[in-house]
Every structure is written in C-alpha cells, then in structure tokens.
C-alpha cells in the first residue's frame, strides 16, 4: 500500500466522482476500497446532496486525512443526475469514473483502469460482480457476460449499444473522458437517472 505522504498530486489522470446523500453508514467502505489502491494521478470528488445523517462528519474526516479527496456539500438536496454533473464539474482529471457510494472495487481495479485509460478511449464501460453484503459469497452475477475487453469505433455505435448499452444505466460502470461530458447540455437529463 502506498502511504499518503508519498502521493504527489499534479494533474490527475482519473477523478473518481461520487454522488451521495445519507450514506454515512456505507461510504467509508467504498472509500477504503479506493484508498487501498490509490496511486499518484487519481483524485476522489464526493458531492453530498445535503445529507441529514453522519455523512458530513465521515467525509470531513476523509478529506482532512487524504489530500486527494475533495468533499463538496450542497445546501439543498441533489438528485442522481445533477449530483454527478456537479462532481464532474468539480473534477480535474482527464477521465471521470462515476462511482457509486455503496460499492467496493476489487483488488487491482485502479491499476487496470489506468492502463485502459492510457489507450486513449473516449468511454470505458466496466463490468461488475455481485456479492453478498459481507462479500463472503459470490452471487455469480455479472452485468455483462464477457470475460475479455471489447473495442468499438464510432462506426460500431449500433453494435456497441446492442452489446453494452444497458450497462450505461448502471452508474458505477461508466468512465468517460471528461472533456466529452461537457459537449452536451446535461440539464435536460436531470431526473432521468441517465445523465
């Protein structure tokens, strides 16, 4: 494990964007799974939609301890779409991973993601595995029934959407080149869960 003192943050390659509200009981587990794998070039942005539980206290502890964690609290509640939009706006990484606040990442995931980002893809869709809450039992469920990487060009849009389009609805699977996020108006998608 890399200690925080050795992390020198310049311009991040990847920002892990988390939108949360009233999840103080689970967000620590998510952040710990990220911190265990953190390397230079990664930042974490957490946008809190005015939580009424202990989320603010939990996040303030993480933000004060880890310089790569940025915590932003909204005065009013944010939905899924506008919360993630706010997180991406606050990100400084070249890529943004729209991470959920109640999942953990498997060992080696961040290294693999950084390797894939290095290839310059515009969009990366991750697979997922389902486990019981205590991670003791693999429920043998995957979002995609693929065990190898797939690559699509702009000419393959139909195949891409047919093969992987439904995966875009699971927020935690999406890594996007940040500059592309801003090419379209996102506000009309607020409230759709599909920003």
């Amino acid at each position: 494990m890399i200690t925080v003192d050795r992390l020198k943050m310049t311009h991040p390659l990847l920002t892990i964007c988390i939108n949360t509200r009233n999840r103080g009981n689970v967000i620590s587990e998510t952040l710990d799974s990220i911190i265990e794998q953190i390397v230079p070039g990664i930042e974490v942005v957490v946008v809190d939609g005015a939580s009424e539980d202990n989320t603010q206290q939990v996040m303030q502890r993480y933000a004060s301890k880890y310089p790569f964690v940025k915590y932003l609290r909204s005065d009013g509640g944010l939905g899924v779409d506008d919360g993630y939009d706010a997180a991406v706006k606050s990100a400084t990484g070249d890529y943004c991973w729209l991470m959920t606040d109640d999942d953990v990442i498997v060992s080696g995931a961040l290294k693999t993601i950084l390797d894939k980002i290095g290839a310059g893809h515009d969009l990366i869709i991750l697979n997922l595995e389902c486990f019981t809450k205590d991670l003791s039992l693999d429920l043998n469920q995957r979002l995609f029934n693929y065990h190898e990487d797939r690559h699509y060009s702009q000419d393959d849009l139909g195949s891409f959407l047919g093969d992987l389009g439904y995966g875009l609805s699971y927020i935690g699977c999406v890594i996007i080149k940040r500059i592309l996020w801003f090419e379209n108006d996102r506000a009309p998608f607020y409230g759709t869960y599909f920003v």
Side-chain angles (χ1 to χ4, degrees):
M1 184 170 126
I2 298 174
T3 62
V4 176
D5 300 300
R6 292 189 1 207
L7 293 177
K8 300 286 188 234
M9 196 59 141
T10 56
H11 177 78
L13 182 60
L14 174 66
T15 301
I16 300 172
C17 298
I18 300 174
N19 179 28
T20 194
R21 186 165 197 280
N22 294 330
R23 303 291 277 187
N25 62 327
V26 294
I27 198 163
S28 292
E29 195 172 356
T30 298
L31 292 171
D32 289 345
S33 76
I34 295 167
I35 290 166
E36 288 174 1
Q37 300 180 49
I38 204 75
V39 295
I42 298 175
E43 73 175 349
V44 179
V45 172
V46 178
V47 172
D48 178 357
S51 290
E52 298 167 343
D53 65 355
N54 67 333
T55 300
Q56 182 175 9
Q57 292 77 23
V58 170
M59 287 311 309
Q60 286 173 336
R61 281 195 309 270
Y62 277 93
S64 67
K65 185 174 182 180
Y66 300 104
F68 52 86
V69 174
K70 186 188 312 182
Y71 173 61
L72 306 162
R73 181 176 165 82
S74 169
D75 292 335
L78 294 173
V80 171
D81 302 298
D82 49 341
Y84 279 105
D85 195 29
V88 173
K89 286 178 186 175
S90 298
T92 59
D94 296 331
Y95 286 81
C96 291
W97 180 2
L98 307 181
M99 181 69 182
T100 54
D101 61 3
D102 63 347
D103 287 334
V104 295
I105 58 175
V106 297
S107 180
L110 286 181
K111 181 188 180 320
T112 300
I113 289 168
L114 289 175
D115 290 345
K116 300 301 178 191
I117 286 173
H121 302 294
D122 291 338
L123 179 68
I124 299 169
I125 307 296
L126 305 172
N127 211 341
L128 64 87
E129 298 173 308
C130 294
F131 289 83
T132 56
K133 175 67 177 150
D134 65 0
L135 303 178
S136 64
L137 179 63
D138 183 347
L139 299 177
N140 296 316
Q141 296 174 350
R142 296 172 60 90
L143 185 59
F144 306 111
N145 196 23
Y146 303 121
H147 296 279
E148 70 286 333
D149 290 348
R150 302 182 80 132
H151 301 272
Y152 299 86
S153 70
Q154 289 181 344
D155 297 332
D156 299 327
L157 183 59
S159 295
F160 166 74
L161 290 174
D163 294 346
L164 304 174
Y166 62 93
L168 294 172
S169 65
Y170 181 73
I171 292 168
C173 290
V174 177
I175 299 173
I176 187 168
K177 194 176 280 187
R178 186 174 180 269
I179 195 166
L180 296 177
W181 183 266
F182 299 108
E183 286 189 0
N184 296 294
D185 183 14
R186 282 109 31 232
F189 295 97
Y190 288 3
T192 66
Y193 298 98
F194 207 72
V195 70

